[in-house]
Amino acid sequence: TLLLSSLCTACKATEAAVRKAGIAQLYGIAGDTNSTGDEQKKLDVLANELFVNLLKSSYQTCAMVSEENEKMIEVPVAKHGRYIVCFDPLDGSSNIDCLVSIGSIFGIYKRESDGPVSTEDCLLPGNKLVAAGYCVFGTACMMVLSTGNGVNGFTLDPSIGEFILTASNMTIPSKGKIYSTNEGNAQYLDEKLQKYLYDCKFPKAGKPKAARYVGSMVADVHRTICYGGVFMYPANSTAANGKLRLLYECNPMSYIVEQAGGKAVTGRGQERVLDVVPTKLHERCPIFLGSSEDIDVILSYLNE
């Protein structure tokens, strides 16, 4: 409870910074790159500091993994807890300056070993998560959270500064009418996936699927959970493992989608994203997630 409370506070503080970013001149590039080579925005840096400091002071964590830090963040022994938190403090950085929905993503693991904390302690598959969530900063601020017993959505009430339960037991429709991917990369995709995308637009029967792509994983996945359909960032000829990071993007989102009744796979046979064992902190992973029937259709194309 203390750990989740600290995460809620970090999300509230980040949301407040996002809302006043234009006035406080927090837009623009901070002048550095993060662990995966992306340009850091000023809000990226601020959000990361908020998450790190609040989680350290919760006395519930022993280590953290952040998109913005190349190495594991070790918590001082005096403030040690039993949990490891992996997070992307501000997902969708490319959309910050144009006011498109962005958000924060986190996954919580319970440490399995004793002794000094090491990087290996953080390299756990998603099926070991004890909780995961994301907070979307859009027309409203909503935190979507799962502790392994379904998915619930909490909307921030700015008048009292608290998250209020507004969407209990969220479930994803078994089939949707939307597909979400960056089709600008279509020429680099596997021919089987190109055929799937073609059939989405030019079906042999019925109406074509609608294409929706924001470019913020939080926004795209949240829409997918609400309306159904599929979100994907697959491997391609220029990125053998896709673009999204396993520990703090793919795993938490896959955990939430599965808890909501959907599926999340890598496209390599029937492999679940949550079964992938990471070998490094910022490992990338291809991902297809969404409505169970839509994911089955994609797998039928990929496994032909």
Side-chain angles (χ1 to χ4, degrees):
T1 305
L2 282 173
L3 181 54
L4 289 176
S5 178
S6 294
L7 284 164
C8 284
T9 303
C11 287
K12 290 176 193 175
T14 302
E15 196 269 347
V18 169
R19 295 287 178 225
K20 68 179 182 183
I23 299 168
Q25 296 184 332
L26 289 173
Y27 290 144
I29 298 168
D32 207 346
T33 56
N34 64 16
S35 59
T36 51
D38 298 329
E39 284 186 333
Q40 280 184 317
K41 300 294 182 79
K42 293 175 184 177
L43 275 174
D44 280 322
V45 177
L46 175 59
N48 191 52
E49 289 177 356
L50 286 168
F51 270 80
V52 170
N53 291 334
L54 282 162
L55 288 172
K56 279 184 179 179
S57 62
S58 72
Y59 287 80
Q60 300 298 306
T61 60
C62 57
M64 292 170 266
V65 178
S66 169
E67 181 186 22
E68 307 303 327
N69 294 77
E70 185 176 352
K71 297 181 179 179
M72 174 194 77
I73 304 164
E74 188 172 353
V75 177
V77 176
K79 295 183 177 181
H80 259 203
R82 289 294 302 171
Y83 295 98
I84 295 167
V85 183
C86 302
F87 57 89
D88 182 350
L90 204 58
D91 175 70
S93 299
S94 61
N95 287 322
I96 287 175
D97 295 358
C98 61
L99 309 184
V100 173
S101 296
I102 53 180
S104 302
I105 310 171
F106 60 87
I108 303 172
Y109 296 90
K110 195 165 188 178
R111 189 184 175 201
E112 297 183 334
S113 64
D114 295 313
V117 184
S118 67
T119 299
E120 284 66 35
D121 290 318
C122 303
L123 298 177
L124 296 170
N127 55 33
K128 297 286 184 71
L129 282 163
V130 296
Y134 63 82
C135 193
V136 57
F137 312 129
T139 52
C141 175
M142 174 178 265
M143 175 174 283
V144 176
L145 176 69
S146 176
T147 56
N149 293 294
V151 181
N152 295 290
F154 304 82
T155 302
L156 181 64
D157 183 342
S159 66
I160 60 173
E162 294 294 343
F163 283 104
I164 309 298
L165 177 63
T166 53
S168 59
N169 195 28
M170 296 173 69
T171 54
I172 184 171
S174 61
K175 188 176 182 180
K177 300 177 181 178
I178 297 171
Y179 72 97
S180 180
T181 189
N182 182 359
E183 282 202 79
N185 291 330
Q187 65 175 313
Y188 305 121
L189 296 177
D190 181 275
E191 287 184 3
K192 296 174 181 178
L193 202 50
Q194 288 183 11
K195 185 176 186 300
Y196 168 77
L197 293 175
Y198 180 86
D199 289 348
C200 284
K201 292 173 284 191
F202 303 97
K204 294 182 177 66
K207 292 183 177 181
K209 287 184 177 290
R212 299 285 186 272
Y213 185 69
V214 177
S216 296
M217 188 187 190
V218 168
D220 283 314
V221 172
H222 186 67
R223 184 199 55 249
T224 302
I225 292 173
C226 292
Y227 299 154
V230 62
F231 166 82
M232 53 184 148
Y233 209 113
N236 60 51
S237 60
T238 64
N241 290 308
K243 178 186 176 185
L244 300 176
R245 271 71 57 153
L246 178 63
L247 278 178
Y248 42 79
E249 290 176 327
C250 296
N251 275 346
M253 289 306 202
S254 298
Y255 181 84
I256 292 166
V257 166
E258 286 199 3
Q259 284 291 320
K263 291 184 177 181
V265 297
T266 64
R268 299 181 290 228
Q270 301 290 323
E271 183 182 42
R272 294 164 67 220
V273 171
L274 295 181
D275 290 336
V276 178
V277 180
T279 57
K280 53 186 178 181
L281 294 180
H282 302 287
E283 184 171 327
R284 298 177 190 267
C285 180
I287 187 168
F288 301 81
L289 59 77
S291 300
S292 57
E293 290 184 29
D294 290 322
I295 295 299
D296 288 341
V297 170
I298 290 176
L299 289 176
S300 71
Y301 276 80
L302 293 176
N303 296 326
E304 281 182 345

